[in-house]
Amino acid sequence: MNKEIIKISRIISTGFILALFVLLSSCEKVKIITAAVDPDATWSLFADIQPIFTSNCTSCHGGTRSPDLRSGKSFASLKNGGYVTTPAGSSKLYSKITGSDHAARSTDTEKLKVLYWIEQGALNN
Ligand code: HEC
């Protein structure tokens, strides 16, 4: 076969593999959370959300790193820091816990509870 043709077909197949890789990695980013959590139930900071922070977050967010997610401190820290604004899906807190560097620190169910608690006004309830 002509050397020129071999070269061109190599370039094309490399381009194809790269395009496939970009496509697949972008699919990963828009992964839709499908855990079953009732959006209409009342989500409570005290009963539902704080336990998530206490077991998954306070080892790092324990006073020196913002937001302070310790029990008794988390509400003021999240509100004053503007982390729990609506629409909940674009709030700083939800964006962070679903972002690539923090996603593994909570389960899909926990993420949805946080989402619905913010959507319901992020109450000190
Ligand atoms: C192993 C340590 C660690 C754990 C555990 C951790 N974080 Fe973080 N978090 C960080 C670090 C470091 C930063 C700052 C760098 C960054 O933005 O990623 C940060 C940043 C953040 C921010 C953004 C702060 C800002 O002002 O922009 C939020 C919100 C947050 N974390 C929430 C959480 C929540 C909620 C959890 C638990 C589900 C959690 N983090 C668990 C280390 C941690």
Side-chain angles (χ1 to χ4, degrees), residues 52-53 56-57 59-61 65-67 69 83 92-93 96-97 101-102 105-106:
I52 300 172
F53 294 156
N56 304 342
C57 316
S59 56
C60 297
H61 296 273
R65 184 181 306 286
S66 187
L69 295 174
Y83 291 102
K92 276 204 234 172
L93 178 59
K96 192 70 197 178
I97 61 173
D101 62 321
H102 267 55
R105 305 194 202 287
S106 56

Side-chain angles (χ1 to χ4, degrees), residues 13-36:
S13 53
T14 307
F16 180 74
I17 290 166
L18 278 178
L20 198 69
F21 181 76
V22 169
L23 194 77
L24 288 178
S25 51
S26 61
C27 285
E28 191 55 34
K29 274 185 202 143
V30 293
K31 183 181 152 234
I32 292 164
I33 297 179
T34 51

Side-chain angles (χ1 to χ4, degrees), residues 76-99:
S77 184
L78 289 170
K79 282 280 180 180
N80 298 339
Y83 291 102
V84 286
T85 51
T86 50
S90 46
S91 65
K92 276 204 234 172
L93 178 59
Y94 186 73
S95 304
K96 192 70 197 178
I97 61 173
T98 53

